[in-house]
Amino acid sequence: PPGVPASSPLAQDGRPPSPTTPDEEPVLHIPPVRAKVSRGVTKVILNVYDLNPTDAKKKYITNANNWSMLVGIGAFHSSVEIHGIEWSFGSSSDKVKAIQPCLPRKCCPNQYSYRLSVDIGTTELDPNEVNDVIAEFCKMEKYFGTSYNLLKNNCNDFSDHLCRRLSGNGIPKWVNRGARTLDKLVEGADSVAKHPVTKSVGKAINVAGQGVKSGVTVGIAAMKKSIEVSSIGLRALVSRIDGMECMGGRRLLQSCYGEESKGMYSAEDSDEELLPPLEEEDDEAPNKGFRVNNRSFASAKQATTSL
């Protein structure tokens, strides 16, 4: 434009200069001084990115967005392109540097991969006036780096605000629907957790849990007591059987309790010669009897029944 030096960053239609060589990294220049720019109509473009690096071997978010976009939802980053410069908002410890410019469709390639662009509308603001709008946004507390919130105040909220300011049109709802949906779910879960009924139910569950714990403790104690009583009774039975003739009494005990009867005698009484293995009973064998308390029995089964 007339009056603008050829070396000025906005020498050609308010756009940053191109690199001098193909291998040279493109450098973004923001005009440090106001220059007189002819007024015209300029497109306002929304550039949308997937939340994975451009050079990532496996783009999980991109693949997920390919499917989720079919129902109008996804996980996206967005920036606003105007006069050849793209503006975006992100988290930063420096509140002034939260809003940053970059070359179109080149926003943070180590974090995002470009997906598509959406024509939002047009604006009559020249580059200087757009810079004034950006400077105004930078002074807003909601766009300080420390005010960034992934669900409530993110890059898409900034893009929507800037697009409305420049063109009067907001961004498509699907761009930020994923964050909004997740935010509603978090709010709903938090509301349920804080509701008086939920607290009452939680308290009731806690009391019931304490009751179950106490009941289990009492039950275990009663079971232990029952086992102790049973053990005392069993030992008394063993002592009574011990009063019978040695061989017959122990044969009877072994017949009733099997292998468990071996632990019912002390080490002094555990002579294998006194307690030979019990042979299989045969009711037809007439000579296989024994005596208990001066009474003769043909088999252990008969002795158990009679006693």
Side-chain angles (χ1 to χ4, degrees):
V4 179
S7 60
S8 170
L10 291 178
Q12 297 180 358
D13 300 329
R15 295 179 178 273
S18 302
T20 55
T21 63
D23 297 330
E24 183 179 348
E25 280 292 323
V27 179
L28 179 67
H29 298 278
I30 306 299
V33 295
R34 297 184 66 85
K36 186 178 180 181
V37 180
S38 59
R39 183 174 297 278
V41 175
T42 304
K43 281 187 175 182
V44 178
I45 301 173
L46 181 76
N47 293 326
V48 182
Y49 298 79
D50 295 317
L51 304 182
N52 40 228
T54 301
D55 57 353
K57 294 182 179 179
K58 295 184 178 181
K59 297 183 178 181
Y60 297 106
I61 302 298
T62 297
N63 295 335
N65 285 341
N66 290 339
W67 290 97
S68 64
M69 283 187 67
L70 297 176
V71 293
I73 198 171
F76 304 106
H77 167 79
S78 66
S79 304
V80 179
E81 179 184 348
I82 178 72
H83 291 302
I85 301 174
E86 185 171 308
W87 297 95
S88 62
F89 169 62
S91 176
S92 172
S93 58
D94 188 334
K95 65 181 182 181
V96 178
K97 295 182 179 180
I99 299 176
Q100 287 289 334
C102 67
L103 292 172
R105 299 175 295 283
K106 301 293 183 182
C107 182
C108 300
N110 60 328
Q111 299 181 43
Y112 313 124
S113 57
Y114 171 76
R115 172 174 282 272
L116 55 84
S117 296
V118 180
D119 287 339
I120 300 300
T122 59
T123 183
E124 294 183 354
L125 298 181
D126 63 35
N128 293 317
E129 292 170 327
V130 171
N131 286 344
D132 290 341
V133 172
I134 296 298
E136 178 185 336
F137 275 37
C138 288
K139 295 177 182 179
M140 297 181 183
E141 186 176 353
K142 67 179 297 184
Y143 295 129
F144 290 173
T146 52
S147 298
Y148 179 90
N149 184 289
L150 183 63
L151 302 181
K152 298 179 180 295
N153 188 43
N154 57 30
C155 55
N156 301 321
D157 293 305
F158 167 81
S159 295
D160 184 71
H161 190 180
L162 183 57
C163 284
R164 291 182 184 277
R165 181 66 180 273
L166 297 176
S167 68
N169 301 322
I171 67 175
K173 291 184 178 181
W174 58 263
V175 176
N176 205 27
R177 184 170 287 138
R180 286 290 177 267
T181 301
L182 186 57
D183 183 41
K184 294 298 181 183
L185 291 175
V186 172
E187 286 184 353
D190 188 54
S191 298
V192 170
K194 294 179 179 179
H195 197 278
V197 173
T198 305
K199 292 182 178 179
S200 299
V201 171
K203 186 176 181 180
I205 292 175
N206 183 47
V207 172
Q210 294 294 331
V212 171
K213 182 179 178 181
S214 301
V216 170
T217 302
V218 172
I220 291 176
M223 187 181 297
K224 288 182 178 179
K225 187 68 176 177
S226 176
I227 292 173
E228 291 176 0
V229 172
S230 298
S231 177
I232 294 173
L234 187 58
R235 291 186 179 278
L237 177 60
V238 171
S239 299
R240 182 176 179 183
I241 292 176
D242 262 343
M244 305 176 186
E245 292 186 7
C246 180
M247 186 61 70
R250 295 192 183 188
R251 276 181 176 276
L252 175 61
L253 190 63
Q254 188 180 32
S255 174
C256 294
Y257 294 97
E259 292 295 324
E260 296 179 2
S261 64
K262 292 183 178 180
M264 299 179 182
Y265 292 90
S266 61
E268 294 80 3
D269 296 334
S270 61
D271 189 350
E272 292 294 331
E273 294 182 357
L274 296 178
L275 187 60
L278 184 65
E279 299 179 358
E280 185 176 356
E281 295 178 1
D282 186 1
D283 294 337
E284 296 180 359
N287 297 325
K288 280 193 175 181
F290 54 87
R291 295 173 59 82
V292 177
N293 287 350
N294 296 323
R295 295 175 61 184
S296 298
F297 297 95
S299 65
K301 182 177 179 180
Q302 182 182 358
T304 305
T305 306
S306 300
L307 292 174

